[in-house]
Amino acid sequence: MLMKKNKELEALLERIENNVSNNYKDAAQDYLKQYEAKLRELAQEGALKDRQKAHYESLLDSYKERMKGFRHKDQKPYWT
């Protein structure tokens, strides 16, 4: 059975992915924060089914892990 996708969360995920692939680190981090806030908001409102909530929380965890240290200020200069 297919799970219905949440349009708002999917749009934020697309923005995160686009920014990550273009190496826009700060923008990707900002969208990740927006995604997390929107996920919490929808979960508190009861707007997500259990499967949806589990799916989107799992994506949040994987993006958080993937984007640790993914900031311009954390970037090491190649000449050092």
Side-chain angles (χ1 to χ4, degrees):
M1 186 171 130
L2 289 175
M3 180 183 67
K4 188 174 179 186
K5 294 183 178 186
N6 180 284
K7 289 180 177 144
E8 291 175 280
L9 292 176
E10 289 295 324
L12 287 167
L13 285 170
E14 189 175 325
R15 288 186 178 119
I16 292 168
E17 198 54 51
N18 286 340
N19 283 295
V20 167
S21 66
N22 287 319
N23 208 27
Y24 298 148
K25 297 176 180 183
D26 297 331
Q29 291 288 352
D30 289 343
Y31 281 118
L32 183 60
K33 286 178 190 161
Q34 288 178 36
Y35 173 79
E36 185 173 16
K38 179 53 80 173
L39 177 58
R40 300 283 172 246
E41 177 187 320
L42 291 171
Q44 285 177 342
E45 293 172 355
L48 298 174
K49 294 183 173 137
D50 288 342
R51 270 184 70 191
Q52 286 177 309
K53 187 177 169 197
H55 170 74
Y56 287 119
E57 284 177 348
S58 150
L59 287 174
L60 174 63
D61 292 341
S62 67
Y63 271 108
K64 279 183 164 182
E65 187 62 35
R66 182 176 162 194
M67 291 171 62
K68 273 186 186 170
F70 189 71
R71 290 184 170 79
H72 285 294
K73 70 180 180 72
D74 296 332
Q75 195 171 350
K76 303 283 183 253
Y78 63 90
W79 57 85
T80 58

